[in-house]
């Protein structure tokens, strides 16, 4: 068998294994989180931060309270290590902390203290982006500007790509569910081809793979 034949056979075997796995993980019985409840959590955390710090609560103060409410609401599957890392994807740069990651779901707190702009990506997963501080703008090709403010949930349907912008400081509780492994190439591409940041690459692998392994051992696919 020639090189082309071996390559074709290898690709065939890989796809034969991957497709059933991707179909298996993208099933409702594996989903732990509810987008409606997550929007409520974002609002509860924001209200608590303002009750403690006043209406002028900072973005980070609100983020901290939302994370606390999140962990209290889903204590078995959510953890906050306090580790924050850069996230470069689709030309945008922000920071994130991973609260949950499995093959079928992830939850992160994502945002930027200075604002950012880029491509949302096009995925085999639904993405729910609940704003807790600041504003996010978005648009489809040729479409009008969409504006999302604190408490709003921006539902990015699977297969849809948008331009998005955080014009100033903005933070959001981001939840994706579906085929999470299919999102990873987009998440790593800027690290490999643009920023070439081995530290952030290692941190991202550690946080995401560590969560996936932990949740798999717990039976949470």
């Amino acid at each position: 068998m020639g090189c082309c034949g071996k390559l074709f056979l290898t690709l065939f075997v890989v796809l034969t294994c991957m497709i059933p796995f991707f179909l298996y993980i993208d099933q409702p019985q594996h989903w732990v989180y509810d987008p409606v409840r997550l929007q409520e959590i974002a609002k509860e955390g924001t209200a608590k931060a303002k009750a403690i710090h006043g209406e002028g609560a900072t973005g980070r103060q609100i983020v901290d309270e939302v994370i606390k409410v999140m962990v209290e609401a889903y204590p078995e599957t959510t953890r906050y290590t306090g580790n924050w890392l850069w996230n470069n994807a689709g030309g945008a740069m922000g920071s994130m902390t991973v609260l949950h990651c499995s093959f079928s779901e992830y939850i992160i707190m994502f945002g930027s203290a200075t604002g950012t702009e880029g491509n949302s990506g096009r995925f085999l997963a639904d993405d729910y982006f609940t704003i807790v501080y600041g504003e996010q703008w978005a648009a489809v090709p040729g479409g009008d500007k969409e504006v999302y403010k604190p408490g709003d949930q921006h539902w990015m349907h699977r297969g849809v790509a948008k331009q998005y912008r955080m014009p100033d400081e903005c933070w959001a509780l981001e939840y994706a569910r579906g085929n999470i492994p299919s999102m990873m190439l987009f998440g790593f591409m800027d690290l490999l081809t643009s920023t070439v940041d081995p530290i952030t690459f290692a941190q991202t692998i550690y946080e995401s793979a560590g969560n996936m392994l932990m949740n798999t051992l717990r039976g949470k696919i």
Side-chain angles (χ1 to χ4, degrees):
M1 183 181 294
C3 293
C4 290
K6 290 180 180 179
L7 178 61
F8 177 80
L9 179 60
T10 300
L11 290 174
F12 177 78
V13 172
V14 170
L15 290 175
T16 300
C17 295
M18 288 176 62
I19 292 175
F21 175 69
F22 285 164
L23 292 174
Y24 172 71
I25 62 177
D26 192 7
Q27 298 296 325
Q29 64 263 31
H30 301 309
W31 300 337
V32 175
Y33 301 93
D34 175 21
V36 174
R37 179 66 182 122
L38 294 178
Q39 188 173 18
E40 293 172 350
I41 287 171
K43 292 178 180 179
E44 289 173 20
T46 300
K48 285 189 175 182
K50 290 183 177 180
I52 296 170
H53 304 286
E55 287 298 318
T58 65
R60 188 52 195 267
Q61 288 169 340
I62 290 175
V63 163
D64 288 344
E65 291 303 318
V66 172
I67 290 175
K68 288 178 184 177
V69 176
M70 183 72 212
V71 174
E72 291 170 1
Y74 293 95
E76 295 184 0
T77 55
T78 308
R79 65 168 188 166
Y80 176 51
T81 63
N83 295 330
W84 287 81
L85 55 149
W86 291 122
N87 178 268
N88 292 85
M93 182 175 187
S95 58
M96 69 174 183
T97 185
V98 179
L99 303 176
H100 174 89
C101 187
S102 66
F103 290 104
S104 58
E105 296 175 296
Y106 78 66
I107 292 184
I108 63 174
M109 184 64 75
F110 170 82
S112 170
T114 60
T116 190
E117 181 178 15
N119 186 315
S120 68
R122 195 187 302 273
F123 307 115
L124 299 175
D126 289 290
D127 190 278
Y128 301 85
F129 204 77
T130 306
I131 308 299
V132 301
Y133 186 88
E135 284 187 9
Q136 183 201 42
W137 302 347
V140 296
D144 295 328
K145 181 173 72 173
E146 305 164 16
V147 179
Y148 300 92
K149 298 184 178 184
D152 293 341
Q153 188 174 78
H154 181 187
W155 180 10
M156 284 281 300
H157 297 259
R158 62 180 62 202
V160 174
K162 294 183 181 181
Q163 176 188 12
Y164 80 92
R165 182 182 181 190
M166 296 172 169
D168 205 337
E169 181 177 7
C170 180
W171 300 96
L173 185 66
E174 181 179 358
Y175 167 55
R177 70 180 182 189
N179 187 339
I180 301 306
S182 70
M183 305 176 76
M184 290 185 171
L185 182 61
F186 176 81
F188 286 122
M189 189 57 68
D190 278 12
L191 285 171
L192 297 174
T193 62
S194 178
T195 62
V196 194
D197 182 352
I199 294 177
T200 297
F201 182 80
Q203 290 173 332
T204 305
I205 291 289
Y206 175 79
E207 292 292 332
S208 57
N211 267 270
M212 280 185 171
L213 177 60
M214 179 184 67
N215 286 307
T216 300
L217 293 176
R218 290 178 175 177
K220 304 295 184 183
I221 300 299

